[in-house]
Amino acid sequence: MKISRELLVAMGVIAMSSGAAMAADSVQAYAHPTLFGTQKETVVTAENDVVVGGKVYKPCHVKSIDKKQNVIVGRKAKEMLCDMQTKMDQRRGGLYDPKMPVLRSELAFLISEGLGLSKGDSSKYTDLDANYWAKTEIERVLTADVMIGYPDSTFKPDRAITKAEVFCTFAKLMNINASKTAVPALNGTTIKHIPTWAYAATNEVVASGLLNSVPNTDKVINDEYLSKEQVAYFISAMKRNFQIDLSNGAIGCATKYEPVAVKIKLSERLSARTSTVGDTFTAKTTEDLTLAGKSFPAGSTVKGKVINVARPGVKNPGYLEVQFDTIKNGDTCAEFPKKLSCAQVNVMKNPNILARLLAAPFSMAGRVGGVAGRTVGASAVMVSDTVEEFGGNMSDAFADTFSLHPLKGAKDLGSSVISIGKCAYNLSKYVVSGTFGVLYEFVDECKYLIVPNTTNDSSLNPDEELTIIF
């Protein structure tokens, strides 16, 4: 009876181990990115929410090139918000909720981090102890005179701050001409919950145009408080649309600047099909321009790089994200601003047939070879890992059994069997994925050769004139 009970327990252990292993098993690397709902082999550095069921979607906050909806040129607001959320989570234990009203401490944090305030003196407020999560940032905004405390020597960091107070804080940072007495209105609708003492500041904020970049303008108009998310977008819009100069302090540091329009033609083709993250490219200006007080004639060299690529796949056009860095003419050089406003392109119909014929053999060999190589390589690694795991488990099974630990030995034996089953299952996925990938890449290259406009939406071509406005 004792032996029977032990055998039953051992079988239960094996069954539970098998179930847990299969539940935890989640192979995320396949030879082709659009099969089995994965994007492992697609280089995507954006937030995870742009990958849904193996299909890449553009994030809602991206800025696309007009007429090239899958060529992206910038996305700063969401990146800054996510960066701030990460920092706040690290110091507050995950209490950050972007949809909730912004607190005084959080506004101080967002302004300090968003504008890069660095100087701060020790505060004398009684409710800011040395371990308070945003003490450093609060001290920085206090030193910059952007925010102030209360007459009772408290800062009240955990109190929600009204949108009227937020507008007054931001009005200190900008020099905008606006009515001091008119009832504030946004897009023709009166802004609610604004007392008369905040009319002037609110009108300045409205006149700046920055509120149009804040998510959900209806809530901006109707709610008494702004959310953390809205304030983060507000700061990001300020950094994008205003020149920030902290050399004379934070008061009035944000000033409007004249946009710079650059017209260029690329010297090479950039495509979501073939480009990789980190690729550099050059372009030539087609008109004279002045940037950072320096003159650049037509024909000046523009340099940039590819910073994000999502490969095209089944029912997925992919996308390409590029960044323009510098312009140079002889010894004269300047960096482009990071505050890109918009971009548009005069679309070329199709790359010429000779260019496609010459390029196709190389891109086809590269793409097909890449899929085949990943299939063979990944399969070899998987088999090697399984052999190692199987050998280790079998060794433990014999050692434990003959050390008078039969339950543990049975569990090890079960793990050995499971490892073989998992390997066979996942190996079949690799083989199917690799076969599909090779066929897909071959057909896609042939399709591009015959009907190249199917990929024009996620590429930039040498003969297309691109206009970028910073």
Side-chain angles (χ1 to χ4, degrees):
M1 288 296 292
K2 184 176 180 181
I3 296 176
S4 298
R5 284 198 301 270
E6 286 187 348
L7 286 175
L8 288 172
V9 173
M11 291 175 65
V13 170
I14 293 174
M16 287 188 292
S17 301
S18 175
M22 294 303 290
D25 177 44
S26 179
V27 176
Q28 293 298 318
Y30 302 110
H32 196 269
T34 61
L35 200 61
F36 299 121
T38 178
Q39 289 291 340
K40 177 65 177 180
E41 298 300 338
T42 297
V43 184
V44 178
T45 58
E47 295 86 350
N48 290 334
D49 60 5
V50 306
V51 180
V52 181
K55 183 175 181 180
V56 177
Y57 293 88
K58 291 188 306 177
C60 61
H61 55 273
V62 303
K63 188 179 294 295
S64 298
I65 293 179
D66 185 34
K67 300 178 183 177
K68 293 275 186 176
Q69 293 306 305
N70 289 316
V71 180
I72 303 167
V73 288
R75 47 169 152 193
K76 299 297 180 183
K78 185 69 174 180
E79 289 176 359
M80 190 181 88
L81 180 64
C82 290
D83 180 55
M84 289 184 177
Q85 178 177 349
T86 299
K87 292 179 181 177
M88 296 173 91
D89 279 349
Q90 289 173 348
R91 294 160 69 173
R92 297 191 71 187
L95 297 178
Y96 178 82
D97 182 348
K99 302 297 183 182
M100 293 298 290
V102 64
L103 308 181
R104 286 173 56 79
S105 57
E106 293 166 338
L107 178 63
F109 185 96
L110 290 167
I111 291 176
S112 175
E113 291 293 303
L115 299 184
L117 302 182
S118 58
K119 298 179 181 179
D121 297 326
S122 297
S123 68
K124 299 179 180 179
Y125 293 104
T126 57
D127 53 353
L128 292 177
D129 60 59
N131 296 321
Y132 189 76
W133 74 273
K135 185 175 187 295
T136 299
E137 289 76 19
I138 291 173
E139 289 175 348
R140 288 172 180 172
V141 296
L142 291 171
T143 301
D145 199 29
V146 176
M147 296 179 71
I148 59 174
Y150 290 86
D152 63 354
S153 297
T154 61
F155 185 78
K156 295 180 173 51
D158 296 320
R159 172 181 289 184
I161 184 168
T162 66
K163 70 181 177 187
E165 294 173 311
V166 172
F167 292 156
C168 288
T169 302
F170 278 102
K172 290 183 178 182
L173 302 172
M174 301 181 290
N175 290 313
I176 303 292
N177 293 322
S179 171
K180 299 184 182 302
T181 57
V183 177
L186 179 62
N187 300 328
T189 304
T190 300
I191 303 177
K192 299 178 181 179
H193 305 291
I194 303 295
T196 54
W197 55 262
Y199 277 10
T202 303
N203 284 326
E204 281 192 56
V205 171
V206 173
S208 72
L210 297 178
L211 287 181
N212 293 320
S213 301
V214 175
N216 202 334
T217 53
D218 287 340
K219 294 182 72 67
V220 173
I221 292 171
N222 296 312
D223 292 358
E224 185 177 1
Y225 298 93
L226 297 177
S227 69
K228 303 167 182 56
E229 178 185 52
Q230 289 172 321
V231 173
Y233 270 82
F234 191 104
I235 295 174
S236 179
M238 178 182 285
K239 293 182 69 176
R240 185 174 65 250
N241 299 319
F242 280 67
Q243 184 70 40
I244 307 296
D245 182 5
L246 296 171
S247 59
N248 295 317
I251 303 299
C253 67
T255 56
K256 284 278 191 178
Y257 69 97
E258 291 298 321
V260 177
V262 183
K263 291 190 175 184
I264 62 173
K265 284 189 177 182
L266 268 66
S267 303
E268 57 215 276
R269 175 177 167 83
L270 300 176
S271 171
R273 295 169 67 253
T274 55
S275 298
T276 57
V277 172
D279 284 354
T280 58
F281 60 85
T282 60
K284 295 292 184 180
T285 58
T286 59
E287 293 183 359
D288 299 346
L289 74 137
T290 300
L291 179 64
K294 302 174 182 178
S295 297
F296 295 91
S300 297
T301 301
V302 172
K303 291 187 177 181
K305 60 177 173 286
V306 176
I307 60 175
N308 199 349
V309 176
R311 295 286 184 229
V314 178
K315 296 182 180 180
N316 170 29
Y319 66 83
L320 181 73
E321 185 171 0
V322 296
Q323 176 177 298
F324 301 94
D325 295 324
T326 61
I327 181 171
K328 185 175 182 181
N329 180 58
D331 294 331
T332 306
C333 184
E335 291 187 359
F336 285 114
K338 303 302 181 185
K339 306 159 186 173
L340 185 117
S341 298
C342 64
Q344 59 184 16
V345 67
N346 294 325
V347 179
M348 183 181 69
K349 289 184 178 180
N350 289 314
N352 68 70
I353 183 62
L354 179 60
R356 302 200 303 273
L357 284 172
L358 292 175
F362 297 97
S363 59
M364 184 179 293
R367 295 177 69 187
V368 170
V371 172
R374 284 196 296 271
T375 303
V376 174
S379 299
V381 170
M382 179 177 292
V383 171
S384 300
D385 290 344
T386 302
V387 169
E388 183 178 19
E389 183 180 356
F390 178 81
N393 286 329
M394 288 300 295
S395 173
D396 291 341
F398 281 105
D400 289 332
T401 299
F402 288 97
S403 297
L404 302 180
H405 296 288
L407 290 178
K408 183 65 169 61
K411 181 180 178 181
D412 294 330
L413 179 62
S415 297
S416 300
V417 175
I418 291 170
S419 66
I420 296 295
K422 287 195 302 182
C423 179
Y425 172 73
N426 290 322
L427 194 60
S428 66
K429 277 192 171 184
Y430 274 111
V431 172
V432 172
S433 180
T435 303
F436 167 83
V438 168
L439 292 174
Y440 173 83
E441 299 294 353
F442 179 81
V443 172
D444 188 62
E445 286 289 341
C446 293
K447 183 176 70 172
Y448 172 68
L449 192 61
I450 301 169
V451 194
N453 60 350
T454 56
T455 62
N456 254 359
D457 193 39
S458 56
S459 67
L460 291 173
N461 301 302
D463 291 334
E464 296 174 333
E465 184 176 61
L466 179 64
T467 302
I468 319 160
I469 300 177
F470 293 94

